[in-house]
Amino acid sequence: MSRTDLSLYEHTGGQLDRLCRVAGFDGKDRRHLELLEGLLGPGGGNSIATAPEWNSNVADDTTPIEFSLAFDATGEYVVRVLGESVGATAPGEFLETVAEPYRLDTRRLDAIADLFLPHEERQGPFTMWYSLIFRPGHEPKIKVYLNPQISGPTMADSLVHEGFRRLGIDAAFDPVIQHALPRGELDNFAFFALDLDGGPLSRVKVYVSHEAAESADVERAAELVPGIDPLHIREFCAVLGGGKGPFEGRPLISSYSFVEGDEGRPSNYSLYLPIRSYVPDDEVARARVLAIMAQYDLDGTILDKAIEAVTERPLRHGVGLIAHVSLRLGDIGSGITIYLSSEAYQVMPPGRRTLLGELR
Ligand code: TRP
C-alpha cells in the first residue's frame, strides 16, 4: 500500500502510534488512536491523495494535525497532538463525546464559550482546536483552543478582556497589554486556551502573536512573569532563529499561563519560535534544535527517533517538518517543546542555503 492510499486518519494515526512507542507506550492502550480518530471527525476518513475540502490553519499544508514533544526540566516528555475536526461537524462536537469518559471539567469553558463561538457574520480562520496529551501510564489529557479573532480584529481585545473577567483574572489584563501588546496592530491575541482537567494546576492560557518582533519585544513580554531571566529568551532566539530579529517571517508568539491563585500575574511565560521561517531546510532546523537541547541537557536522540516516527524523507528535501520550537519558563515548570508536522498533503520545498563562497 503506497503512502497516498491512506486516509488522513490512517496516515496521522500511524505517525502518532509510532511517536507514542518512542515515548514508551507498550501498544496495549489504544486510546491515543481512538481520541485522534474522534478529534478528526468525519473528514478523517478521506484519502490524503485528494486535495482536502477544508483549509485548516493548524499546519502550513492544511493538514489539521500537528504533533509535539514537550520536555520538562527533568528530561521527561509527553507526546501531544494539536488538531481540528474536519468534515461535517459542529464546533464542540468532539468535546461532547469525550467529556464524560475522560471526566473533563468544562466549567471554565462553559463560562466563556459564548464569547468565542461563531455566528453568521463572524468568520475567523478557526473556531475550536484541541490538544491531546499522552504520557505512558497516565490518563490522556485534553485542552481546547478558542479564537480571539473570531469576530474580527477590532473585537479581539474586548473578548479576551471579558474572558479574563469571567475567569477571575481581570487584574492581569492591563499588565498583559502593557507587556505583550504595546506595538499596536503588530501585536495580536491569537488563541485563548483552557486545560480541561480540574485541579489547581489546570491552566488558562492566552497567546499573542508579534509581527516583525525583535528579541527585545518578547523579552519584555516574558518579564511580566516574576523571576524570568530574559537572557534565556535572547539565547533561544539566537540559537533557533539565528539572531535577535526582527523576525519578519512567521511571527514569534508569546503565551501566558494562569493557574489557581494567579490573579494579577501569570505563573508562566512561553515563547514559540516558528523555526521553519528562519531556516532553509529541516536538516538545518534539526541541527539548531539539537544545539538548544544540548544546552538544556535534553537527550537529542529522542528528537531523531521522533523525526523517524513521522517521516522517511531526507530532512534536506523540505522545510517545515520542524514547525515551531517553544521555551516555557516559570513557577509551574520550565521546558522545551518541539512541534513536528504531519506533512499529510505536502512537503514545503526547501529554501536555498547560503554558500560560504558567496561571503566576503
Ligand atoms: N499554524 C499556525 C501557526 O503557525 C498555528 C499553530 C500550530 C501554532 N501550531 C502552533 C502556533 C504552535 C504556535 C505554536 O501560527
Side-chain angles (χ1 to χ4, degrees), residues 57-60 66 82 129 191 250 253 272 276 324 339:
N57 195 31
V58 165
D60 294 353
E66 181 180 76
L82 172 68
W129 288 354
F191 308 102
R250 291 183 171 272
I253 296 181
Y272 306 80
R276 65 198 187 283
H324 290 87
Y339 295 78

Side-chain angles (χ1 to χ4, degrees), residues 16 48 65 82 119 122 155 166 169 174 198 204 257 308 335 350:
L16 175 62
I48 57 171
I65 292 293
L82 172 68
H119 60 66
R122 294 181 180 179
M155 288 296 289
R166 294 191 191 172
I169 51 175
D174 288 341
V204 175
S257 298
E308 275 171 40

Side-chain angles (χ1 to χ4, degrees), residues 20 23-26 29-32 35 72 76-79 102-103 133-142:
C20 284
F25 277 72
D26 59 13
D29 185 348
R30 307 302 289 164
R31 287 179 297 180
H32 53 289
L35 283 167
D72 68 21
E76 283 192 36
Y77 61 98
V78 297
V79 173
Y102 288 91
R103 291 190 299 277
I133 300 145
F134 303 109
R135 185 192 291 267
H138 287 74
E139 285 286 297
K141 290 189 173 182
I142 300 176

Side-chain angles (χ1 to χ4, degrees), residues 5-10 37 40-48 54 86:
D5 292 331
L6 299 176
S7 70
L8 178 61
Y9 164 66
E10 288 166 332
E37 189 169 22
L40 279 170
N46 291 12
S47 162
I48 57 171
W54 52 83
V86 285

Side-chain angles (χ1 to χ4, degrees), residues 80-91:
R80 304 191 314 189
V81 174
L82 172 68
E84 178 172 19
S85 301
V86 285
T89 161

